[in-house]
Amino acid sequence: MSAGFPHKHLLGIEPLEPSHIETILDTAQGLREVLDRPIKKVPALRGKTVVNLFYEASTRTRSSFEVAEKVLSADSLSIATSTSSVQKGETLLDTARNLEAMNPDMIVMRHSASGAPHFLARHCRSAIVNAGDGAHEHPTQALLDALTLRQKKGRLKGLKVAIVGDVLHSRVARSNVWLLTKLGAKVVLSAPPTLMPPGLGALVPTTHSIDEAVEGADAIMMLRIQLERMSGGYFPSLREYHRRFGLTEERVRRAHKDVIIMHPGPMNRGVEIASEVADGPYSVILDQVTNGVAVRMAVLVLLLGGTQETQA
Amino acid sequence: MSRLLLKGGRVVDPSRGVSDFLEVLVENGKVIEVSRKATASGAEVVDVSGLMVCPGFIDLHTHLREPGREDKETIATGTRAAAAGGFTAVCAMPNTDPANDTAGITRAILEKAKTEGVVRVYPIGAITKGQRGEELAEYGDLREAGCVAVSDDGRPVVSARLMRRALEYSQAFGLTVIDHCEEPTLSSGAAMNEGPVSTLLGLRGAPAAGETIMVERDVLLAELTGGRVHIAHLSTAGAVDAVRRGKARGVKVTAEATPHHLLLTDQLVKDSEYDTATKMNPPLRSEADRRAVLAGLADGTIDCIATDHAPHSVDDKRVEYDQAAFGIVGLETAVALALDRLVAPGHLDLGRLVALMSTKPARVLGLPGGTLAPGSPADITVLDLARKRKVDPAEFLSKGRHTPFAGWTLTGWPVMTLVAGRVAHNDLQHHAAKPAKGR
């Protein structure tokens, strides 16, 4: 915990005050410079232990946390469920208690069950960072998106941001709705009716027309079609999805001329996003990845109360 | 057997429209006399001054878990919880292991209840063999062995054709069919009610329409067949409306609602940060649904308050929200919740509440009791409307500990429960009668 960020855990964006979010972003911006140094190592979290507990496959988020931990000199260990006793039927509580017995300072968890980090926070002493829980929240993703937006556009307030795709299953969409609205951006959500859950209209405008959503947008955030969750018959074919709801170059032209295109990855090229858009000049997808490390460094430092000393 | 005189209390007996200061004389397990001055020679006197004396409360919807899941509850612990909660009888749902789908299991439950239970246990048989929703169970045998209704509770009868057959065949034995109404293709994988709250929590939701569809179907099938259907734990505005319209057409439909659906909404799942004590099926619904169920209770559309007492072990609940078992305990909180949150604020008067928890449940399934008329069983619930206490799951007699009402301070509690004239539970502060063992 620190003065600018009075929280023990990072479970979601929803409970954060705008000023707390600003603190994380400012800290991340300051720490980002470390990543450009020839020797990318600072002692800020020396002697701190972080466990990365990943119950769901993840390349980007997990490696991003690992890099952040290494750069900050924390001792870290990563557990993926395919190689752990979870495969032998151990409960989340038992796994967590066993990890706790090793006295880690923080557990970073990715889990397919919404609310799993809250469960952990109730039963553990360690600081808990939610690295994505079910369809609930993915706070560090929203933070890195915001950092990217701020870098590219100089501000968040008043920006028109379209969030497009599978909103129903997306924790990224939920975290971004909270974050962007708290910081004054104008968000519009767009999804086919079958992938738009009830109730979000009370928070932000929603539309089934992607054309309408991207009209004049300063930024477009594409959401992944989660093919592994598509057994529910939400739409007739990937072909029709791409044609009616995918981001094509033609649709990009409806947006502001300086629009930036974001995607949390991994992308389904030719489904929610056309390849030429993903690879186009307005794409900031790789900047998002770099900012991801910076944001996670900031979260680690703020929660573990390490010094913000960045000299090696 | 000794005579017992309950003296000084107010008798509230909606079966006879009575609410007056009367004495109740009990002998040989029956009510002998209810009058201003009962002939009490040789009777043990129980001073119930300042208390309410009511016909024993009956819970139409209890899961005793025995046989099969004695780790969650037994007939011994479940009936003690019932007695402590003011219930003199419970109807035991058949989703035991094995399911209560044959006379042998029914008899085993009744035998156990006789030796180890402290309140009456009325078994409910399965609608279908193994509750699999494929073939009708043997209703004739079940009835003969002592079942008072049939239900596949926990599971809806998915096939409309099979539900029709159940509603037809049950008539030969005077059995009511109790249905857990849920359209499974709309609710599969759901952990809570579908709505704005499930969206924000990222939990899969069951839409209210999924319950309403099945209630509408069951009302239509009861109309078609002339059978008697009872809607378990009704929780949606649409379901209330369907029952109301059905009753207006003369369909033989009755319904129950639980205290948690009357008092809580899905917002609690969020406010409690995914506390699994808020997870049950049907789930806590929206505020509009809650109000509609309350209105249905007030206008008589809903016949009874039932607990859906569903005890689980700690391990079944102390897991991720979407992995946790559905169900909460209710026997030891239902009456106090109703007194504090429904009667005290004026949603119901006390007579109406006693009707909803005693007289009407008895009538819905044709059970003895629900009245203090002379000659009826001496099943009596005594209430202290001034008693104030905090809900503390650690004190429950049930093995189940999960309730969303933990920590609530409630005023108005059951303080004494008599079953067939014997004390099944006694919390009277100024009377020392000991609870009897067995009955």
Side-chain angles (χ1 to χ4, degrees), chain B residues 4-9 22-26 44-48 53 380 382 416 418:
Chain B
L4 202 65
L5 181 71
L6 300 179
K7 193 177 162 72
L22 298 170
E23 295 180 356
V24 179
L25 182 65
V26 164
E44 182 190 354
V45 176
V46 182
D47 177 8
V48 290
V53 178
I380 298 173
V382 180
M416 188 180 206
L418 298 180

Side-chain angles (χ1 to χ4, degrees), chain B residues 41-61:
Chain B
S41 60
E44 182 190 354
V45 176
V46 182
D47 177 8
V48 290
S49 313
L51 307 178
M52 304 291 153
V53 178
C54 314
F57 289 5
I58 299 169
D59 186 23
L60 291 186
H61 199 136

Side-chain angles (χ1 to χ4, degrees), chain A residues 14 92-93 97 111-116 118-119 122-123 133 135-136 174 178 197-200 203, chain B residues 194-204 270 272-276 317-323:
Chain A
E14 188 191 353
L92 175 57
L93 185 62
R97 281 181 173 164
H111 200 291
S112 62
S114 300
H118 304 71
F119 176 84
R122 254 201 293 279
H123 294 286
D133 65 324
H136 174 232
R174 285 165 180 76
W178 289 119
L200 287 173
L203 297 175
Chain B
E194 181 180 295
V197 183
S198 67
T199 294
L200 294 182
L201 290 177
L203 288 171
R204 199 179 294 187
K270 185 161 191 290
S272 70
E273 299 201 317
Y274 300 90
D275 183 350
T276 58
K317 281 295 215 181
R318 206 168 52 189
V319 292
E320 298 88 320
Y321 198 87
D322 61 7
Q323 302 291 313

Side-chain angles (χ1 to χ4, degrees), chain A residues 71-85:
Chain A
V71 171
L72 294 169
S73 307
D75 296 312
S76 72
L77 117 113
S78 292
I79 298 167
T81 53
S82 55
T83 58
S84 73
S85 22

